[in-house]
């Protein structure tokens, strides 16, 4: 699966009659087909919207769903999505949350959006979107933080980093280094090998991008420590 969606797949509103897959040919003949749209535009959480797109994309290109039969019950879609994400991000906060709500008036350096995840009425963590400046411009960095003050996952969203270099920031070999890190200690970028618990090994040839992503993660950690803990009494 690709790291980013382009063309038809990148749009927020998919007309399944225009799906580029051969399996949609029959739909293209049905000019008056009802319920042919998949509309992602109303999903405000960028992380969830991107993952839901990938979910549909993955199912379609692997021939697990046909374009004409994707209109299954919403509950089934969500359950399948959670199963899909739990394999991709085993520890991500978003997997265990039942509901998300945006946390207003919690802004900080590089912070764009903050969402609180709850389950059974209890706070289980946060998803925080940051936009540090990389080599080619802003990089969307989504950071999951569990209520025990640990990084539960990092996802790279839209960016203009160099293909084959900075774009590797989306690879598990780089971004998974953040998993499990404590929010209490800022992270540092190092070259070669990590010698301290808070070290993150830079991508070879893409130190600027590596530092940008780490700046985004540090910004999320800081807003969690300085503001979110006091709001809900989470953490130690």
């Amino acid at each position: 699966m690709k790291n980013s969606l382009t063309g038809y797949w990148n749009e927020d509103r998919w007309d399944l009659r225009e799906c580029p897959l051969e399996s949609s040919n029959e739909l293209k003949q049905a000019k008056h087909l009802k319920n042919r749209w998949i509309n992602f535009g109303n999903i405000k959480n960028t992380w969830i919207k991107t993952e839901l797109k990938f979910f549909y994309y993955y199912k379609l290109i692997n021939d697990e769903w046909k374009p004409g039969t994707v209109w299954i019950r919403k509950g089934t879609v969500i359950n399948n999505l959670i199963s899909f994400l739990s394999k991709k991000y085993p520890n991500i906060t978003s997997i265990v949350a039942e509901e998300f709500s945006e946390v207003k008036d919690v802004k900080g350096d590089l912070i764009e959006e903050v969402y609180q995840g709850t389950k059974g009425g209890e706070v289980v963590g946060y998803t925080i979107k940051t936009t540090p400046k990389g080599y080619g411009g802003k990089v969307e960095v989504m950071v999951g933080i569990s209520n025990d003050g640990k990084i539960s996952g990092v996802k790279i969203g839209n960016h203009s980093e160099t293909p084959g270099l900075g774009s590797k920031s989306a690879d598990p070999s780089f971004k998974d280094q953040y998993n499990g890190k404590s929010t209490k200690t800022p992270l540092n970028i190092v070259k070669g090998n990590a010698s301290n618990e808070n070290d993150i090994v830079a991508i070879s040839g893409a130190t600027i991008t590596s530092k940008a992503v780490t700046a985004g993660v540090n910004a999320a950690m800081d807003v969690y420590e300085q503001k979110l803990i006091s709001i809900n009494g989470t953490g130690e």
Side-chain angles (χ1 to χ4, degrees), residues 21-77:
L21 299 178
E22 184 178 348
S23 56
S24 69
N25 287 340
E26 184 177 345
L27 280 176
K28 294 174 183 177
Q29 306 302 318
K31 300 299 184 182
H32 302 291
L33 181 70
K34 294 182 179 180
N35 295 329
R36 65 179 185 269
W37 305 100
I38 300 178
N39 191 352
F40 300 97
N42 294 327
I43 303 174
K44 302 304 180 183
N45 186 310
T46 303
W47 188 88
I48 295 176
K49 178 167 69 174
T50 302
E51 290 298 341
L52 189 55
K53 281 186 178 182
F54 268 124
F55 177 64
Y56 272 100
Y57 171 76
Y58 179 86
K59 291 290 188 180
L60 288 168
I61 66 170
N62 285 284
D63 209 28
E64 294 183 30
W65 283 351
K66 299 293 184 182
T69 57
V70 297
W71 301 109
I72 58 179
R73 292 174 59 250
K74 180 180 178 182
T76 304
V77 172

Side-chain angles (χ1 to χ4, degrees), residues 22 29-30 44 46 66 75 78 129 132 138 148 169 206 213 217:
E22 184 178 348
Q29 306 302 318
K44 302 304 180 183
T46 303
K66 299 293 184 182
I78 297 302
K129 176 184 174 182
K138 287 186 176 181
D148 61 353
S169 58
V213 174
V217 175

Side-chain angles (χ1 to χ4, degrees), residues 187-202:
L187 303 174
N188 299 316
I189 280 291
V190 298
K191 295 182 179 180
N193 298 310
S195 57
N196 298 306
E197 179 63 27
N198 63 329
D199 286 345
I200 300 294
V201 178

Side-chain angles (χ1 to χ4, degrees), residues 1 7 10 13 20 44 48 78 111 126 132-133 142 153 155 159 171-172 177-178 182 193 197 199 222 235:
M1 187 165 58
N10 191 48
R13 193 169 187 240
K44 302 304 180 183
I48 295 176
I78 297 302
I111 303 298
Y126 295 87
K133 184 178 180 180
M142 275 69 78
K155 177 173 175 57
H159 65 81
D171 292 352
Q177 294 182 83
Y178 299 96
S182 171
N193 298 310
E197 179 63 27
D199 286 345
D222 184 65

Side-chain angles (χ1 to χ4, degrees), residues 96-99 116-125 147 234:
V96 298
E98 294 174 340
E99 297 182 359
Q116 181 187 81
T118 59
K119 183 176 183 179
E122 298 291 330
V123 176
V124 294
N147 64 358
T234 55

Side-chain angles (χ1 to χ4, degrees), residues 110 130-139 161 208-209 211-213 215-216:
L110 307 180
T130 67
T131 52
K133 184 178 180 180
Y135 182 79
K138 287 186 176 181
V139 180
E161 301 305 277
I208 293 176
T209 303
K211 288 183 176 180
V213 174

